């Protein structure tokens, strides 16, 4: 059956929520939500619904949502590979979810299902706190996949005026440049085919890695380390490991850096608020996230 962990805390309000995806057994999200609920005196169960588990072999995403809604869940986090597929099962989308075209948080309320994208706000909030005063005229985004779409919109919400996008699949970077300019017309976005030429002719103020390069199973850096300069700020959304090759090299050159834990923690902060209607304490949720590495 699904993994269940109970918050056994207090008694005032019982909240049931969960995460639907594949290969999610190591997710830190249940612990972040349950510890935050406990600290606020709420009783909460956050369950993992891992569709790779044989128990779910005959269950569709639609069937699972029907069941959990009927069981009284307050909402769900949705992750790989269902963030797009889930949209057809929802009544309404938030503006950010419609802009990105993906949903990572579903709220069940008054018999209706609302879709949100807290990855966008999550990246933006971590970014504002760390890089709020850095130059943001021109940013380079590496990776135009699922996470890259949310990060592109977030960067513009944080004040970036020109966004260059690089992806080994140039169809993706071109499509994302068009999408982001449609949704955020205040920004100029372009797909760039050649990083050496970009840095030589129009160096970005900062770069964000939203490719899987740098993960423990995919070592290396999508941005050539030789092109880093100490003026650049550097963010990575990979968080296994927290210190990627790119971030290590950037710190060695004196760049300001932002780890992938920022987005992971703040997407949970916003989802907690959507599930419970209460503000969450980001520092407390980050402490729970960081405790996994000790
Ligand atoms: P994805 O597979 O949807 O997209 C990855 C994109 O990167 C693809 O378009 C691919 O063509 C491109 N790419 C791969 N290697 C490249 C390279 N060397 N140079 C340029 N482009 C390259 O993946 P995703 O869902 O967008 O996730 C990307 C990474 O972000 C994963 O490692 C994931 O763990 C991480 N992530 C982190 C958070 C967080 O909260 N911190 C959230 C979501 C995803």
């Amino acid at each position: 059956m699904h993994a269940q962990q109970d918050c056994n805390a207090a008694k005032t309000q019982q909240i049931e929520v969960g995460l639907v995806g594949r290969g999610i057994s190591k997710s830190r999200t249940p612990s972040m939500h349950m510890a935050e609920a406990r600290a606020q005196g709420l009783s909460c169960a956050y369950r993992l619904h891992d569709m790779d588990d044989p128990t779910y072999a005959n269950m569709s995403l639609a069937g699972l949502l029907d069941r959990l809604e009927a069981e009284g869940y307050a909402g769900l986090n949705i992750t790989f590979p269902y963030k797009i597929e889930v949209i057809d099962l929802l009544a309404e989308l938030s503006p950010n979810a419609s802009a990105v075209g993906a949903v990572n948080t579903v709220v069940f309320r008054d018999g209706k299902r609302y879709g949100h994208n807290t990855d966008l706000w999550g990246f933006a909030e971590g970014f504002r706190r760390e890089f709020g005063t850095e130059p943001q005229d021109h940013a380079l985004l590496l990776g135009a996949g699922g996470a890259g779409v949310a990060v592109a919109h977030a960067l513009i919400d944080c004040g970036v005026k020109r966004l260059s996008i690089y992806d080994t699949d140039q169809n993706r970077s071109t499509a994302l440049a068009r999408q982001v300019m449609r949704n955020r017309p205040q920004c100029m976005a372009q797909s760039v085919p050649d990083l050496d030429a970009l840095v030589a002719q129009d160096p970005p103020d900062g770069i964000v890695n939203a490719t899987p390069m740098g993960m423990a199973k995919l070592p290396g850096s999508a941005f050539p380390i030789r092109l880093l300069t100490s003026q650049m700020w550097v963010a990575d959304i990979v968080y296994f490991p927290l210190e990627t090759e790119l971030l290590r090299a950037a710190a060695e050159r004196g760049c300001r850096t932002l780890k992938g834990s920022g987005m992971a923690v703040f997407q949970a902060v916003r989802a907690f608020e959507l599930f419970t209607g209460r503000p969450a304490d980001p520092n407390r949720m980050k402490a729970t996230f960081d405790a996994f590495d000790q």
Side-chain angles (χ1 to χ4, degrees):
M1 220 22 224
H2 48 241
Q4 175 178 350
Q5 301 163 65
D6 284 311
C7 305
N8 333 296
K11 306 45 199 190
T12 46
Q13 193 183 341
Q14 171 71 33
I15 299 158
E16 297 204 59
V17 285
L19 174 64
V20 177
R22 290 192 183 274
I24 52 177
S25 60
K26 295 206 175 98
S27 171
R28 301 179 183 193
T29 301
S31 298
M32 282 195 281
H33 280 269
M34 290 191 294
E36 181 59 19
R38 197 178 306 120
Q40 295 202 22
L42 301 174
S43 171
C44 159
Y46 191 113
R47 298 186 178 92
L48 291 181
H49 299 280
D50 190 336
M51 298 295 251
D52 280 342
D53 185 320
T55 321
Y56 295 92
N58 297 318
M59 175 80 73
S60 65
L61 180 64
L64 182 61
L65 255 68
D66 286 346
R67 195 187 92 195
L68 301 179
E69 187 178 20
E71 285 177 8
Y73 270 54
L76 291 168
N77 285 129
I78 308 289
T79 191
F80 177 82
Y82 299 115
K83 288 182 181 184
I84 296 172
E85 185 182 336
V86 75
I87 288 176
D88 285 342
L89 307 171
L90 307 176
E92 272 183 41
L93 296 185
S94 72
N96 280 348
S98 331
V100 172
V103 161
N104 78 326
T105 304
V106 173
V107 174
F108 298 122
R109 201 174 58 234
D110 303 328
K112 278 176 88 174
R113 297 170 178 174
Y114 300 87
H116 299 266
N117 188 301
T118 73
D119 287 334
L120 191 166
W121 185 85
F123 181 82
E125 189 61 15
F127 184 95
R128 276 188 285 265
R129 288 176 183 232
E130 201 57 42
F131 292 151
T133 57
E134 297 291 311
Q136 282 156 21
D137 177 54
H138 178 202
L140 168 66
L141 171 66
L142 301 137
V149 179
V151 170
H153 289 78
L155 284 168
I156 291 147
D157 291 353
C158 290
V160 166
K161 295 181 190 65
R162 292 188 302 126
L163 184 64
S164 295
I165 307 169
Y166 176 77
D167 196 297
T168 39
D169 178 346
Q170 217 185 324
N171 290 330
R172 288 190 171 196
S173 46
T174 304
L176 178 53
R178 286 203 192 106
Q179 179 181 353
V180 84
M181 283 208 288
R182 211 167 41 240
N183 293 321
R184 303 287 193 267
Q186 70 273 31
C187 162
M188 274 298 303
Q190 61 169 350
S191 163
V192 291
D194 181 342
L195 293 175
D196 281 274
L198 179 79
V199 172
Q201 290 156 19
D202 185 14
D205 297 311
I207 66 176
V208 184
N209 176 47
T211 79
M213 288 282 290
M215 292 177 77
K217 60 183 180 196
L218 258 180
S221 167
F223 187 74
I225 301 298
R226 67 190 153 75
L227 297 178
L228 276 175
T229 68
S230 59
Q231 287 82 33
M232 292 171 178
W233 47 259
V234 179
D236 206 322
I237 69 162
V238 166
Y239 59 89
F240 288 122
L242 268 178
E243 190 181 58
T244 58
E245 193 171 321
L246 173 65
L247 288 186
R248 194 174 329 112
E252 280 166 13
R253 282 159 180 74
C255 304
R256 290 200 60 185
T257 60
L258 173 63
K259 295 190 173 93
S261 48
M263 180 173 180
V265 169
F266 283 108
Q267 64 76 25
V269 165
R270 186 79 188 108
F272 184 93
E273 293 172 358
L274 289 165
F275 292 150
T276 65
R278 294 177 175 222
D281 180 337
N283 294 331
R284 208 156 45 198
M285 291 184 87
K286 181 161 189 312
T288 306
F289 184 97
D290 289 342
F292 280 81
D293 297 311
Q294 278 143 28

